[in-house]
Amino acid sequence: MGTPIPPIQLPPCGDYTAEAEWLEAALLNWLNTEYLPEAVNLAIAQRAAQVYRRQRLEGEHDLGGILLALVTELQEFDFSQSFYSEFAVANAVSDLLLRRLGIEPCCGAG
């Protein structure tokens, strides 16, 4: 059996609004460059940033907990006009946050 991956804790932040604004802009950029820019991408980025900000304000600093909250809450979002899903968006947010911490996300086995 492999070694469990330790949880990743995000550092506390004094300005969660600014952090959420950064995330919204970074996610919107990712959404627009990953496939094609779509009008719905702004609404997706805004909703994800809103969930993220609320989670942080409620004291959630665990990246895994934030990821689960995003997937759960974005299930109510209408992705019918998008290439994306709640899972793709939550994973993108996770990757963006990891990169911001200086951790290169990795995928695939090796």
Side-chain angles (χ1 to χ4, degrees):
M1 186 157 116
T3 305
I5 298 172
I8 296 174
Q9 297 293 314
L10 300 177
C13 173
D15 189 350
Y16 292 117
T17 299
E19 193 171 340
E21 289 171 354
W22 168 84
L23 179 62
E24 180 182 324
L27 181 59
L28 180 60
N29 181 60
W30 183 88
L31 292 167
N32 284 338
T33 57
E34 189 67 16
Y35 290 111
L36 298 171
E38 302 174 287
V40 71
N41 288 351
L42 178 58
I44 293 169
Q46 289 172 336
R47 181 68 180 126
Q50 179 185 46
V51 172
Y52 172 78
R53 180 178 180 274
R54 191 182 68 253
Q55 288 296 306
R56 293 300 305 264
L57 284 170
E58 290 177 356
E60 181 64 78
H61 302 297
D62 179 71
L63 185 58
I66 292 169
L67 181 78
L68 289 173
L70 282 164
V71 168
T72 300
E73 294 200 34
L74 289 175
Q75 286 177 346
E76 296 176 19
F77 188 88
D78 179 9
F79 283 95
S80 65
Q81 300 298 311
S82 175
F83 287 108
Y84 301 103
S85 70
E86 63 272 16
F87 298 103
V89 172
N91 284 332
V93 167
S94 177
D95 286 354
L96 290 167
L97 292 170
L98 286 172
R99 284 192 175 98
R100 191 168 195 209
L101 291 172
I103 302 169
E104 186 62 33
C106 100
C107 42

